Amino acid sequence: MESTTDRRLLDTGDPDPVDPDGARRANRLEHDPWRVLRIQSEFVAGFDAMSDVAAAVTVFGSARTTPDSPEYALGVELGGALAAAGYAVITGGGPGAMEAANRGAAQAGGRSIGLGIELPFEQSLNEWVDLGVNFRYFFARKTMFVKYAQAFVCLPGGFGTMDELFEALTLVQTKKVTRFPIVLLGADYWQGLLDWITGTLVPAGTVSQSDVALLHVTDSVAETVEIITRAGAHIEASTR
C-alpha cells in the first residue's frame, strides 16, 4: 500500500531485530523534529488561504454518495441554500456528498471551498471547488474545518463523517470552541445513532441530556439554514 505523510508520522516503524529500541529512537531523532516544520507550513498555508473567509458552514458526508442518489440531491440543495443565505460552504473537497454541497454552492453563486487530504489512493478536489487547499495531515485540516465555520452539517456518511461529528461535539461540549449548531441532515439515517446516545449513553451517565441537545436532527434544508442563521444572530447579539 502506498504510504502517506500522516502514516509516516504516526507509524512506530519496524524495529531493528538486534537493537529494536535503539533503531526506533534513532529514526525518530532523525525525522520527527524536521516534520514539525512541514506541519507548521501546513497551518500557515491554511490560515493564509482562508484568511478572508467570513461566514461559512462546514458540510461533511460520504465520499461514496452517488450522483443519482437522493443524498446527493440533498447535498446540492443544502449547498445552494447556504450560499443563498450568505454562507461559504466548506467541505473535504472530495467526491460524493462533498461534491454535492460544493456544487450547490457554486451553482448558486456562492463561495465553494474544498480542504483536501492526501490519501493512499488518488483523490483530487472536485470540479466545483473555487478555493482549494490540500493537506498532508488530518489534524491540520481539521483545524481549518472548525476555525472558519459557524456551524457543521452532517449528511449521511461513514467513519470519516462520524469522526468529524464526534470531534465537533467534543469541542463544543468541552467549550474549546464557541457553541455553534451541529445539524444531522437525514433523519432516517441518523435517528438510530441518536436513539443509541439517548438510550445507552445518557442512562449510563457517560453523557448528559444537555449534551444530546447539542445535536439537531432534521430532513429539512430550510430548517437547517434557519437553525444556523438563528444561532448566528444569537451569538452576534450576545457579543455586542
Side-chain angles (χ1 to χ4, degrees):
M1 178 184 292
E2 183 183 345
S3 184
T4 65
T5 309
D6 256 331
R7 182 176 175 178
R8 290 191 292 274
L9 171 66
L10 298 174
D11 263 356
T12 56
D14 296 325
D16 184 321
V18 178
D19 182 18
D21 293 330
R24 183 180 286 115
R25 184 172 185 275
N27 180 67
R28 289 173 176 169
L29 285 172
E30 180 181 358
H31 296 289
D32 285 356
W34 293 104
R35 287 191 172 110
V36 174
L37 297 178
R38 174 170 281 181
I39 292 167
Q40 179 184 9
S41 73
E42 289 222 336
F43 280 105
V44 171
F47 292 151
D48 182 60
M50 302 285 284
S51 61
D52 65 342
V53 175
V57 173
T58 296
V59 179
F60 299 113
S62 177
R64 303 182 188 187
T65 300
T66 58
D68 60 349
S69 67
E71 292 79 14
Y72 188 96
L74 187 65
V76 173
E77 181 186 355
L78 172 66
L82 289 170
Y87 292 99
V89 171
I90 304 172
T91 78
M98 294 173 281
E99 176 189 297
N102 284 135
R103 179 176 181 174
Q107 290 180 331
R111 197 159 194 194
S112 179
I113 301 168
L115 307 180
I117 186 69
E118 177 189 55
L119 294 171
F121 43 89
E122 191 67 30
Q123 179 175 305
S124 58
L125 295 175
N126 69 68
E127 62 178 306
W128 301 100
V129 168
D130 59 54
L131 171 60
V133 185
N134 282 301
F135 292 87
R136 295 183 177 93
Y137 297 103
F138 267 110
F139 52 83
R141 179 183 184 233
K142 284 181 173 182
T143 299
M144 305 305 153
F145 280 142
V146 175
K147 180 174 175 59
Y148 296 97
Q150 278 71 55
F152 281 175
V153 180
C154 293
L155 292 161
F159 288 159
T161 303
M162 299 291 176
D163 173 51
E164 301 293 358
L165 166 61
F166 283 105
E167 181 155 1
L169 279 170
T170 302
L171 289 172
V172 178
Q173 178 201 48
T174 57
K175 303 188 188 307
K176 290 293 185 181
V177 296
T178 303
R179 182 182 177 123
F180 62 86
I182 302 168
V183 182
L184 305 181
L185 187 55
D188 286 346
Y189 189 86
W190 294 110
Q191 193 59 51
L193 175 63
L194 196 66
D195 290 344
W196 175 73
I197 292 172
T198 56
T200 300
L201 302 189
V202 173
T206 50
V207 302
S208 67
Q209 195 61 49
S210 62
D211 296 328
V212 181
L214 298 173
L215 288 167
H216 306 269
V217 182
T218 181
D219 284 319
S220 169
V221 168
E223 183 181 357
T224 298
V225 175
E226 181 185 355
I227 289 168
I228 294 168
T229 54
R230 187 169 61 240
H234 174 74
I235 292 171
E236 184 178 343
S238 66
T239 57
R240 288 174 182 166

